[in-house]
Amino acid sequence: SVQQSARDRLPRYVRVNTLKTSVNDAVDYLKRDGFCYQGQASRLEDLTLREKDFVKDLYLPELLVFSPKMDFHDHFLYKAGHIILQDKASCLPAHLLSPPPGSHVIDACAAPGNKTSHLAAIMENKGKLFAFDLDAKRLSTMSTLLLRAGVLCHQLANQDFLKVDPGNAQYKDVEYILLDPSCSGSGMVCLRDNTSHDQSEDQARLVSLASFQLRCLNHALRFPRLKRLVYSTCSIHSQENEDVVTACLQQNLNFRLVHLLPQWPERGLEPLTQCLRASTTKTRTHGFFVALLEKHKKSCLPCR
Ligand code: SAM
């Protein structure tokens, strides 16, 4: 099918797990293993690779890019947790949130944990990473993934994020939240064939997802010390993306959008051009959306 071939043409992205190795050591290992390193990509076209060629990504420092045909599931580096197989777009949320080592962070809808492990790598395993998910089975997959990746700073909970109390003393130092809630998945190239063709059913599902996403977002903004929050979906529908963020900002006047990666080629739909979108055609990834919300600095209160 058309979708199948679009997926087959997407580059294969590999995130180097800096908790276990460095980007240069991974590159050297791959060169010794018969891959041909072509240097750092400087244009989108450089991500069109043949056979065993590979490059470093344009924007994401820990990301290596291979030809669509490559499969690393049986590779030593994957089995040893030195590399994580993660689409480029889904590396954006943790990269943009960028919590410093030692910070306290919440990953609100975390399983199976690729973004959690990316956050831990950025935090250099220092600080606290509270990760929640409603689905016990996905959480158990996540435990295995985090163990293999050498993540140590996390605390997993099989819990509804909407029921996590922002006033609880445990979370009093949380300054960063990553919110990647359940969505329609309409950006996933391989899933697009499976969507139902009953339009009213699709519409009802989107309305209910968007209401859940907005509730999660509003809830997340209630953590008292929160500074920055990344909201992401793998949906291409504005109802789950720009519309959710717009509604949230109208209800939370103390937060504003941060203008993300000026060089990134695909922006959020007008007027939310501070946000990023991703797609097979413009960014050579699955469809994706990312927004970064930041709390206003306390404005000076009028003196009495
Ligand atoms: N961030 C994950 C990653 O990068 O691997 C993917 C998260 S996936 C898009 C959304 C997750 O949200 C699912 O695992 C789902 O079980 C979980 N979820 C749905 N409703 C939830 C809720 N109320 N509280 C916590 N997690 C929830």
Side-chain angles (χ1 to χ4, degrees):
S1 74
V2 176
Q3 299 301 347
Q4 180 74 29
S5 64
R7 182 184 47 181
D8 290 345
R9 282 196 307 266
L10 277 186
R12 198 65 77 189
Y13 295 101
V14 163
R15 178 169 62 78
V16 175
N17 177 14
T18 54
L19 291 177
K20 290 245 167 165
T21 185
S22 67
V23 175
N24 288 339
D25 284 353
V27 167
D28 285 343
Y29 187 96
L30 289 158
K31 287 202 287 200
R32 287 197 301 277
D33 197 31
F35 289 89
C36 304
Y37 180 54
Q38 305 291 320
Q40 161 111 44
S42 56
R43 309 163 306 158
L44 202 58
E45 295 75 56
D46 296 342
L47 307 188
T48 304
L49 294 153
R50 287 185 323 168
E51 297 179 4
K52 296 202 103 183
D53 289 354
F54 73 110
V55 293
K56 281 189 194 167
D57 185 57
L58 302 157
Y59 309 120
L60 287 142
E62 311 112 325
L63 205 66
L64 303 176
V65 191
F66 294 82
S67 99
K69 295 252 152 43
M70 284 314 308
D71 183 354
F72 285 94
H73 284 94
D74 293 322
H75 197 274
F76 164 79
L77 290 181
Y78 174 67
K79 289 185 170 163
H82 290 208
I83 59 173
I84 314 279
L85 309 181
Q86 188 172 356
D87 183 54
K88 172 169 162 169
S90 91
C91 294
L92 287 169
H95 173 73
L96 295 170
L97 189 62
S98 190
S103 51
H104 287 199
V105 181
I106 286 177
D107 190 347
C109 297
N114 278 331
K115 297 182 190 76
T116 317
S117 96
H118 194 188
L119 286 168
I122 292 167
M123 294 160 71
E124 298 170 9
N125 254 340
K126 294 177 193 129
K128 273 207 178 127
L129 184 42
F130 301 98
F132 303 99
D133 204 282
L134 205 49
D135 186 325
K137 207 163 153 237
R138 285 168 69 94
L139 265 184
S140 92
T141 309
M142 174 158 175
S143 293
T144 313
L145 188 146
L146 296 184
L147 186 68
R148 188 172 58 204
V151 175
L152 300 170
C153 59
H154 63 292
Q155 185 177 309
L156 290 190
N158 185 6
Q159 209 176 330
D160 180 345
F161 174 64
L162 292 169
K163 299 204 175 118
V164 176
D165 175 12
N168 187 317
Q170 275 199 86
Y171 311 123
K172 69 176 177 25
D173 295 320
V174 169
E175 293 179 324
Y176 301 88
I177 296 183
L178 193 151
L179 175 62
D180 184 43
S182 298
C183 72
S184 61
S186 54
M188 300 299 292
V189 177
C190 42
L191 286 184
R192 279 184 210 164
D193 278 348
N194 300 340
T195 51
S196 82
H197 293 290
D198 180 336
Q199 299 233 333
S200 62
E201 196 181 299
D202 287 350
Q203 213 40 49
R205 183 162 169 255
L206 281 184
V207 168
S208 122
L209 282 166
S211 124
F212 163 71
Q213 290 151 353
L214 179 58
R215 280 198 297 143
C216 286
L217 196 44
N218 281 333
H219 187 69
L221 297 190
R222 291 178 50 213
F223 285 77
R225 294 272 312 271
L226 182 69
K227 276 188 186 158
R228 284 158 82 88
L229 173 144
V230 163
Y231 173 77
S232 61
T233 74
C234 57
S235 165
I236 54 172
H237 293 106
S238 56
Q239 289 104 309
E240 298 179 272
N241 298 332
E242 290 86 354
D243 295 0
V244 169
V245 170
T246 302
C248 170
L249 289 170
Q250 281 166 357
Q251 294 164 27
N252 298 273
L253 298 176
N254 52 340
F255 282 84
R256 63 178 179 101
L257 284 172
V258 177
H259 190 89
L260 298 172
L261 301 181
Q263 67 280 34
W264 187 264
E266 191 170 5
R267 314 303 308 180
L269 301 183
E270 294 278 354
L272 298 200
T273 52
Q274 301 97 323
C275 307
L276 304 182
R277 276 184 170 246
S279 63
T280 52
T281 48
K282 294 200 180 125
T283 60
R284 315 221 49 210
T285 64
H286 290 281
F288 208 78
F289 174 83
V290 197
L292 174 58
L293 278 67
E294 186 179 67
K295 200 180 225 163
H296 282 300
K297 304 267 180 303
K298 264 223 174 68
S299 58
C300 215
L301 292 170
C303 307
R304 291 177 194 225

